[in-house]
Amino acid sequence: MRDIVATIQPEQDEIVRSGLSGTVCVQGGPGTGKTAVGLHRVAYLLYAHRERLARTGTLVIGPNDSFLRYIEQVLPALGELTVHQATVDSLVAHVPVTGADPAPTAIVKGDARMAEVLRRALRSHVGRPTESLVVVRGSRRWRVPADEITTLIEELLARDIRYGAAREALPQRIAHAVLIRMEQAGEAPDDRVQNAVARDRAVKALVKEVWPPVDPAKLVLRLLGDADFLRTHSADLLTDEERTALLWPKPYRGVKSARWSAADAVLIDEARDLVERTPSLGHVVLDEAQDLSPMQYRAVGRRCSTGSATVLGDLAQGTTAWATPAWPEALHHLGKPDAHVEELTAGFRVPREVIAYASRLLPAIAPGLAEVRSVRESPGSLRLVRAGEGALLPGLVEACHAALTHEGSTGLIVPDPLVEAARAALVGAGLSALAPGEETRADARLTLVPASLAKGLEYDYVVLGEPGAVVEAEPTRGAGLRRLYVGLTRAVSGLTVVHERELPEELGANTH
């Protein structure tokens, strides 16, 4: 972080020193320093607003545990020990996640329309009394008609406050109605009497009947397991096909037996907030934001509803099936539609020749984004190698041998289905490879990386195998091209692309 401070650029420094009250979104391509800017902004805000943030709290949300370990090492180096770290999954870990959703299901569960489905489902638990309420106080009996109580319920619903808060308010509203009758009869009740009436057994029984407590996890369990319940509360919101995607093939009997997915946990978090407001922090930093679903944005937004945020990401590197297409839409779901968006275009990590080649994909994956202009010239840093028929694996091995003649680390990035074949080819050539995340050593400088795990990693030299297969391994071509863009931009010093098939047409002419 001290190196970052020493090399911070004017356009970055303006973002770092922007005020605490406003939310800033930083769009930055590979190697533009957006994460460094975000972390430095945390340090600056803690310095400039220490007392305020000590009261309200600061949270950094990263894409994975590796990122969190990194910032644990970075921020304390500046003496900033009051920053909490989490992933989105850990924020919403209300149930154990033991299941996984196919992409079409995850997309529907992550859609912002699910917030309204949950709201409708929750409010459906609110009933209306069919009989008058009678409260006994000493020798007197006080009667409140059912239609008057219904009016009180309707007023609370119209205020659209949290389900739990409204449920707590209803006994007091009913008690107030009783007190009015007492005063009309010549009595002089005070607040103690009103509180006593609110705790009356008959009042409590009525409230339990018309405004019952609701467990958020059980609410989601019913929505995903009861077709009629889901259809009723998603009418005019979801299609029949989307409802089919949401429903479990076989309903689970209870919360503990259900195989919850990560997207289910986000739904439960939304339901919990509908019942009881989620506490807000003073400032939240969100990295790799482009990969969040609308419902995940809402979950993060709840944590800074009365505070501000620093949002970091690159639309071109969105590799989830639900990746955000544009920042205004994402910021709307975050609850920060007025956030200021800054675009970093100066690159400091990826060589100019390499980033220019990867940027050929931008018109297809992120139209309108400016191409990163690298300040690092490194002639010969890009090599395209066409392997003969059936010679892809030998070509990858040869490229790895060549990369290892240079100092530093080498990453071999291949399509996920090719990982085991590539590992066997390396072993056959006398090369051993580390797994992603394992620390390189002088005697172990080669890492074998499935393309799906390449994001966030960087190597001095990268060998990337069969770009066309990288694209085809994803559910959609757009997602595949973004995955390829990530792989092509992991190199710090040099990139060698080895392919047997034709390159994706979005990369242009297959010149070598």
Side-chain angles (χ1 to χ4, degrees):
M1 182 60 85
R2 288 190 178 91
D3 293 337
I4 293 167
V5 173
T7 59
I8 208 83
Q9 302 299 305
E11 64 175 346
Q12 297 172 323
D13 190 56
E14 185 177 338
I15 298 170
V16 166
R17 296 177 184 274
S18 56
L20 175 61
S21 60
T23 289
V24 177
C25 174
V26 182
Q27 159 63 43
T32 55
K34 56 186 177 294
T35 298
V37 168
L39 295 182
H40 189 44
R41 186 171 188 228
V42 172
Y44 170 76
L45 291 176
L46 286 169
Y47 170 78
H49 307 278
R50 182 172 297 276
E51 291 187 6
R52 179 176 171 183
L53 289 177
R55 295 193 307 271
T56 58
T58 307
L59 172 67
V60 176
I61 302 174
N64 50 52
D65 290 333
S66 296
F67 176 87
L68 298 182
R69 286 193 294 270
Y70 166 68
I71 63 171
E72 283 176 356
Q73 298 167 358
V74 170
L75 288 174
L78 289 177
E80 310 304 352
L81 302 175
T82 57
V83 179
H84 302 287
Q85 299 105 31
T87 63
V88 172
D89 288 345
S90 68
L91 279 182
V92 300
H94 309 301
V95 291
V97 174
T98 57
D101 293 315
T105 298
I107 290 171
V108 180
K109 288 181 179 179
D111 193 289
R113 291 173 294 166
M114 291 302 299
E116 177 61 20
V117 174
L118 287 165
R119 177 179 171 277
R120 291 180 182 181
L122 178 62
R123 289 165 68 99
S124 73
H125 289 78
V126 179
R128 308 295 185 274
T130 56
E131 298 179 353
S132 298
L133 170 70
V134 177
V135 175
V136 178
R137 293 283 299 172
S139 60
R140 302 293 299 271
R141 296 164 62 88
W142 306 99
R143 178 178 172 274
V144 183
D147 59 350
E148 185 173 343
I149 296 173
T150 295
T151 299
L152 296 177
I153 292 171
E154 298 291 351
E155 289 173 350
L156 285 171
L157 288 172
R159 288 182 60 192
D160 205 25
I161 59 178
R162 294 300 191 277
Y163 184 94
R167 186 174 186 274
E168 291 177 359
L170 183 57
Q172 289 290 337
R173 296 291 185 94
I174 294 172
H176 181 69
V178 172
L179 257 65
I180 290 176
R181 285 162 171 76
M182 290 180 174
E183 291 170 347
Q184 290 172 343
E187 297 189 16
D190 56 18
D191 289 346
R192 289 175 297 177
V193 175
Q194 179 168 329
N195 290 333
V197 172
R199 295 192 300 270
D200 184 87
R201 183 179 301 177
V203 173
K204 292 169 67 175
L206 175 67
V207 171
K208 184 176 181 180
E209 177 186 350
V210 300
W211 209 300
V214 176
D215 178 85
K218 289 182 179 178
L219 179 69
V220 176
L221 183 83
R222 186 178 177 190
L223 267 177
L224 301 180
D226 185 333
D228 291 337
F229 189 66
L230 176 61
R231 186 182 305 108
T232 297
H233 301 299
S234 63
D236 74 9
L237 287 174
L238 303 178
T239 66
D240 289 339
E241 184 179 9
E242 288 171 326
R243 280 188 280 268
T244 299
L246 283 176
L247 287 168
W248 283 318
K250 182 179 180 181
Y252 296 101
R253 299 186 63 181
V255 170
K256 291 184 178 180
S257 63
R259 289 180 56 81
W260 298 107
S261 69
D264 296 334
V266 179
L267 295 178
I268 293 172
D269 189 72
E270 179 82 27
R272 285 170 62 95
D273 185 71
L274 289 169
V275 173
E276 183 176 355
R277 184 183 297 277
T278 304
S280 174
L281 297 164
H283 192 75
V284 171
V285 176
L286 174 63
D287 199 16
E288 297 288 359
Q290 74 281 345
D291 278 335
L292 270 60
S293 70
M295 291 298 285
Q296 287 175 316
Y297 276 116
R298 290 176 60 87
V300 174
R302 287 191 281 278
R303 272 77 183 178
C304 56
S305 59
T306 60
S308 57
T310 301
V311 181
L312 312 166
D314 181 10
L315 298 178
Q317 296 187 65
T319 52
T320 57
W322 46 86
T324 188
W327 289 122
E329 178 180 327
L331 294 167
H332 169 75
H333 295 310
L334 189 70
K336 307 294 182 183
D338 298 327
H340 179 61
V341 180
E342 285 279 353
E343 188 169 0
L344 299 178
T345 58
F348 306 97
R349 171 170 57 82
V350 185
R352 183 176 299 175
E353 192 176 357
V354 173
I355 194 65
Y357 182 69
S359 295
R360 296 181 182 184
L361 299 174
L362 288 179
I365 62 177
L369 274 193
E371 180 179 337
V372 173
R373 303 293 183 181
S374 179
V375 301
R376 297 183 59 239
E377 283 199 63
S378 182
S381 56
L382 173 67
R383 294 179 62 233
L384 304 179
V385 178
R386 181 70 180 263
E389 186 175 351
L392 177 65
L393 291 174
L396 293 174
V397 171
E398 182 180 347
C400 288
H401 273 299
L404 289 168
T405 63
H406 302 286
E407 292 184 358
S409 59
T410 294
L412 172 57
I413 301 175
V414 297
D416 288 33
L418 197 62
V419 169
E420 293 310 315
R423 191 188 311 279
L426 292 173
V427 171
L431 293 173
S432 60
L434 301 169
E438 289 187 292
E439 190 171 348
T440 58
R441 309 182 304 272
D443 61 339
R445 297 186 292 121
L446 175 63
T447 302
L448 177 59
V449 185
S452 63
L453 298 182
K455 183 178 293 183
L457 303 177
E458 60 183 58
Y459 302 93
D460 293 296
Y461 292 86
V462 167
V463 177
L464 188 142
E466 205 61 273
V470 171
V471 174
E472 292 173 1
E474 297 298 319
T476 66
R477 186 166 185 82
L481 290 170
R482 289 190 292 272
R483 184 76 71 187
L484 176 59
Y485 181 80
V486 170
L488 291 172
T489 55
R490 299 304 93 199
V492 174
S493 298
L495 169 69
T496 300
V497 177
V498 182
H499 63 107
E500 180 181 340
R501 300 160 36 181
E502 292 292 324
L503 293 171
E505 61 182 2
E506 289 83 357
L507 285 174
N510 297 330
T511 55
H512 292 67

